[in-house]
Amino acid sequence: MPRLSEMVPPPVTKGLLRAVFGLPGPVKRLITGAPVRRDGQRLDLDAQLLLLMTRLEGGRLGAPTVEEARRGLQRGQSYLDRVPARPVRTRDVDANGVPARLYTPKGLPEGSPLLVFYHGGGWVIGDLDTHDTVCRYLAVHAEVRVLSAAYRLAPEHPYPAATDDALTAYEYAVANAGNLDADPAAIAVSGDSAGGNLAAVVGVLAERKPDFALLFYPATDMTARRRSRELFGDGFYLTDDDMTWFSGHYCPDEERRADPAASPLLAEDLTAFPATYLVTAGFDPLRDEGEAFARRLEEAGVPVALRRQDDLFHGFTNMWSLGGRFQEAMSEAAGALRTGLYAGPRQRS
């Protein structure tokens, strides 16, 4: 049976979404019911409302087929396609065989920092378009150029295809920073969820290390189940079943899941990893492994700022256009990226 959103024209659904989130707080509370509290945290009201709407619509990240899951994410993001007020120019780039898109905010001078971004989606779903508004937001609010890389997806291209493409795109950015009108001494990596995993892997494996890493709720260890997966594995957008579904498609060979290129938390040496802002969501099954990675960076002597947005759930980067706490969290991350790239040392020639 088709979902309600598949039978309603997208402009109508978008208008309804805006109207619901524009309601007064007390009305939203009447709709959502009692606050959700778990593990000493209280879910943000707008986050609770969005989860309720998602459940009513019957949506989930995983699906009976890969094609359905990909269509579902694309459809969901089409309702959240608001862009920053400042214009952003885009152009397609061939990053040594990896399709990519370069974002340049209007008025940004040549020689600005560059961010290489990897979209989330469990290494199975997602593309340049599903994370277009995320890249535009970071470009505008961090004052950077953004090179978004469309790495190959599983199951058509299982591990390590995504890792190989992530490294290829990053190495292209390093070698061609000047041609991209970017500063070769200020190149960062970023990504959300599976994209955060790829950004972390680049930080571990790249010969020329990035100058900064911005990691949104990254997947860092495919070999273990942590407490947050038990606490938040059902009812908070990304589910335990979704995680099993994604990992099974991405890396069906369970022995290879311990590779540092799949599970960067298990890398032996993290001392050369770049300075990092790592943000987790409180109601996220990936929370604990992301925070474990931050602790390992700290133990290795890497400058790292760990920020738990304890009232949000997985995927909040894509939801910034709804405003409220979603946009606040993205604004904070963009500020950290801007500070890390503009105020950090630039010693490379």
Side-chain angles (χ1 to χ4, degrees):
M1 179 179 296
R3 298 174 181 175
L4 178 62
S5 61
E6 294 178 280
M7 299 183 288
V8 178
V12 175
T13 303
K14 288 170 62 175
L16 176 62
L17 190 66
R18 299 289 177 200
V20 170
F21 278 86
L23 293 171
V27 177
K28 294 179 185 177
R29 178 55 67 198
L30 285 173
I31 295 172
T32 60
V36 174
R37 293 183 172 88
R38 191 168 300 182
D39 199 30
Q41 306 169 140
R42 175 171 166 163
L43 189 65
D44 174 70
L45 176 58
D46 282 345
Q48 187 176 346
L49 179 61
L50 185 57
L51 286 174
L52 174 62
M53 296 178 71
T54 301
R55 285 195 294 271
L56 291 174
E57 198 269 338
R60 53 164 293 194
L61 284 173
T65 69
V66 169
E67 291 73 20
E68 287 179 66
R70 289 173 180 167
R71 287 196 302 269
L73 183 62
Q74 291 166 350
R75 184 173 58 251
Q77 292 310 309
S78 70
Y79 309 139
L80 300 169
D81 59 358
R82 175 184 162 204
V83 297
R86 182 177 171 186
V88 177
R89 185 177 72 253
T90 65
R91 68 178 174 92
D92 293 335
V93 174
D94 179 351
N96 288 341
V98 179
R101 181 182 296 163
L102 182 68
Y103 295 80
T104 304
K106 182 179 180 180
L108 188 69
E110 293 185 10
S112 70
L114 176 67
L115 175 70
V116 182
F117 184 86
Y118 308 103
H119 67 79
W123 310 277
V124 176
I125 62 178
D127 53 33
L128 297 180
D129 291 333
T130 61
H131 286 65
D132 178 77
T133 63
V134 176
C135 292
R136 289 175 185 272
Y137 191 94
L138 291 174
V140 166
H141 292 277
E143 293 285 342
V144 298
R145 285 171 168 79
V146 176
L147 184 69
S148 182
Y151 55 89
R152 288 170 291 172
L153 299 177
E156 298 90 341
H157 305 282
Y159 172 82
T163 294
D164 293 341
D165 288 357
L167 282 164
T168 296
Y170 171 74
E171 290 165 354
Y172 170 87
V174 169
N176 294 275
N179 295 331
L180 299 173
D181 294 329
D183 182 352
I187 301 176
V189 290
S190 180
D192 65 307
S193 192
N197 167 276
L198 296 176
V201 168
V202 170
V204 171
L205 299 182
E207 181 177 351
R208 188 282 201 195
K209 299 299 183 187
D211 298 289
F212 192 79
L214 171 61
L215 307 180
F216 293 100
Y217 35 85
T220 64
D221 184 3
M222 297 182 69
T223 69
R225 296 180 63 91
R226 288 175 170 78
R227 179 170 171 267
S228 60
R229 186 162 175 175
E230 307 301 332
L231 286 172
F232 309 111
D234 184 40
F236 297 100
Y237 189 57
L238 175 67
T239 69
D240 179 58
D241 287 344
D242 291 336
M243 292 176 67
T244 300
W245 190 83
F246 285 132
S247 60
H249 283 303
Y250 177 54
C251 192
D253 184 349
E254 295 188 12
E255 291 186 3
R256 300 199 68 184
R257 295 181 186 181
D259 295 351
S263 298
L265 179 64
L266 305 184
E268 291 185 7
D269 185 5
L270 293 173
T271 55
F273 201 86
T276 298
Y277 178 89
L278 192 154
V279 56
T280 61
F283 291 78
D284 184 353
L286 285 176
R287 184 193 71 185
D288 289 357
E289 63 187 81
E291 295 180 2
F293 189 69
R295 288 193 296 272
R296 278 220 55 207
L297 293 179
E298 185 176 23
E299 291 166 0
V302 175
V304 56
L306 171 62
R307 174 70 160 105
R308 179 192 293 185
Q309 301 288 358
D310 60 6
D311 56 351
L312 298 180
F313 58 85
H314 188 89
F316 67 74
T317 59
N318 294 79
M319 301 160 192
W320 69 262
S321 65
L322 294 174
R325 288 286 297 118
F326 301 118
Q327 187 166 351
E328 288 175 6
M330 274 294 284
S331 178
E332 185 178 323
L337 175 63
R338 182 174 182 176
T339 299
L341 285 173
Y342 280 93
R346 300 190 186 187
Q347 301 175 352
R348 303 180 194 273
S349 59

